[in-house]
Amino acid sequence: MAAPRGEFSSKLGFIMAAAGSAVGLGNIWGFPKEVASNGGAAFLIIYLAMAFLIAYPALMAELIIGRHAKANPVEALKVIANSDTSRTVGVVTGFAGISTACLILSFYAIIAGWMASNILASLSDMVGMAGLSTWFASDSIERSLLFTAVFMALTISIITAGVKDGIEKWCSRLMPSLLVILALLIVYVMTLDGAMDGVKAYLLPDFSRVMSPDLYISAMGQAFFSLSLGVGTMLIYGSYIPDEGNLVSLGRAVTIVDISIAFIAGLLIIPAMYVALNNGVQIYDANGALLAEDSLIFVVLPELFASMGGAGTFASLAFFVLMSLAALTSTISILEVPVAYTTENHKVGRKPATVIIGVAIFLLSTVLIYNFEVLFGLIVSVATQYGEPLVGLMMCIFAGWIFHRNELLKEIQKGHDGAEHGLFWKIWPNYVRFIVPAAILIIFSRKFFA
Ligand code: PFF
């Protein structure tokens, strides 16, 4: 007999949890990094199109399948399946999602750990312990191991407490704090010299870049990663939405929050780079492109904070707290994927399942840390450029082709009277059946044939 399933206690609880999953390092680091490397607002425009036109419909597919089946991805796709073949494909897709989730957590927890150790670096600076601060901000293997372990332990402790008392409770606390810190940091950065140049660079598009196929691939990958798609997280969170919840409006709210926070984070990071330039920090590489990748967060911003004197230490602390909060509400949502599967399908209690899986993923992170140069980038690209779009594609195929139309409508009608007359029902079923899979396939195939 499987353990009873958890449920979110309110609409707001779901929005906090799902937006918490979506809003993460991908928004505050990944998105501004892509903007900086890809022609400023040109990337922003394509990203917005990808997020609304491809990622949002795919998110709805996951939420609807999840709530209908009230199960983890492997079971849920079996429930939807209508033949032996589709059942097998469903199981394979479910496992592909779970594996992608584990891979993502293995690298995400390392980066999250760096953010957490930088909090301690700022605190050590404040109390004048420069040596310790340097160690916390160093890129040593020991530091990575220690703080990845700390981050996994935090994640495990929240997931052990379950859906309502763990995920919902903590996201409802952490998300508002995140918004306040983000707002304060933006207001502060905007008062500094050079910030307006950054705003211009962010909002004035360089259209010569819009035609590049790579831009579309990056924007789609970023949109899928940002909305936590193609790993089963949103399917599982959907499965915890009570039947009174209106899926169409909940999904829309999560998408809008996620995209807005990415946009707003750009208003922090890009102007901060130009403030750094104004303070004499190097922000361009040898080819004249803006420094992006790791150097954006771990070189440019620390140099900016250092150039700001005493205020810089507080800004640095606030920034790394912001990053750590954003990361934690995401790591918990990723760990929930394998944990939900294991507790439901293998009759293991939530606590042992969470600890065993959490430790196993930490061991995987350890392998990445010791073989960083060879493995890190590889795992990131396998998970985010292949795993997520392909699993996302399969979810859309299940929702559009395999899920029975009447059942689909009944699911959408729950908590949404008159859904059959709404715009969503008029457009989405065919859209997710034809357009989204075709768009994913076309963009994806350009990877190989461009
Ligand atoms: N959406 C998160 C971010 O933007 O940082 C990353 C993420 C969380 C990806 C959860 C996948 C996932 F299941």
Side-chain angles (χ1 to χ4, degrees), residues 21-22 24-27 104 108 225-228 231 233 330 333-334 388:
S21 168
L25 299 172
N27 300 60
I104 292 182
Y108 204 91
F225 186 73
S226 188
L227 271 175
S228 308
V231 294
T233 286
S330 297
S333 75
I334 314 178
E388 288 197 86

Side-chain angles (χ1 to χ4, degrees), residues 30 57 128 139 202 216 287 329 337 382 421:
D139 52 10
Y202 182 35
Y216 291 80
N287 303 319
T329 52
V337 179
V382 167
H421 305 302

Side-chain angles (χ1 to χ4, degrees), residues 201-421:
Y202 182 35
L203 298 180
L204 293 179
D206 168 2
F207 280 115
S208 64
R209 307 287 291 266
V210 172
M211 295 318 292
S212 142
D214 282 351
L215 207 61
Y216 291 80
I217 294 169
S218 307
M220 182 174 76
Q222 176 63 30
F224 266 72
F225 186 73
S226 188
L227 271 175
S228 308
L229 299 178
V231 294
T233 286
M234 288 301 183
L235 188 155
I236 289 194
Y237 275 15
S239 78
Y240 299 144
I241 301 177
D243 281 347
E244 308 76 69
N246 175 340
L247 291 180
V248 175
S249 66
L250 289 174
R252 195 188 315 130
V254 171
T255 309
I256 291 174
V257 172
D258 181 55
I259 294 174
S260 310
I261 302 263
F263 176 75
I264 293 171
L267 283 176
L268 170 66
I269 306 290
I270 312 284
M273 291 184 82
Y274 283 81
V275 174
L277 179 68
N278 191 67
N279 290 7
V281 175
Q282 188 203 341
I283 68 165
Y284 297 103
D285 65 16
N287 303 319
L290 276 174
L291 284 173
E293 302 305 324
D294 300 1
S295 39
L296 175 57
I297 297 282
F298 296 113
V299 178
V300 175
L301 291 184
E303 285 190 24
L304 166 66
F305 297 137
S307 71
M308 285 166 27
T313 320
F314 284 97
S316 164
L317 177 65
F319 178 74
F320 287 111
V321 170
L322 170 75
M323 293 299 247
S324 302
L325 297 184
L328 185 57
T329 52
S330 297
T331 52
I332 57 179
S333 75
I334 314 178
L335 185 57
E336 180 64 15
V337 179
V339 167
Y341 165 76
T342 311
T343 53
E344 287 172 16
N345 284 32
H346 296 285
K347 300 181 186 134
V348 182
R350 179 170 265 273
K351 192 168 178 182
T354 310
V355 173
I356 294 167
I357 296 169
V359 170
I361 294 177
F362 171 70
L363 293 178
L364 189 56
S365 305
T366 307
V367 175
L368 294 193
I369 291 170
Y370 276 106
N371 301 279
F372 197 84
E373 298 299 324
V374 188
L375 286 184
F376 192 85
L378 181 70
I379 296 293
V380 172
S381 83
V382 167
T384 62
Q385 293 181 17
Y386 297 87
E388 288 197 86
L390 289 179
V391 173
L393 169 72
M394 292 310 297
M395 299 277 188
C396 291
I397 289 176
F398 267 81
W401 293 88
I402 297 173
F403 206 151
H404 196 281
R405 252 326 141 100
N406 290 343
E407 298 292 315
L408 198 58
L409 177 59
K410 270 195 228 151
E411 197 51 57
I412 296 170
Q413 283 171 326
K414 290 181 189 159
H416 184 3
D417 287 338
E420 65 281 15
H421 305 302

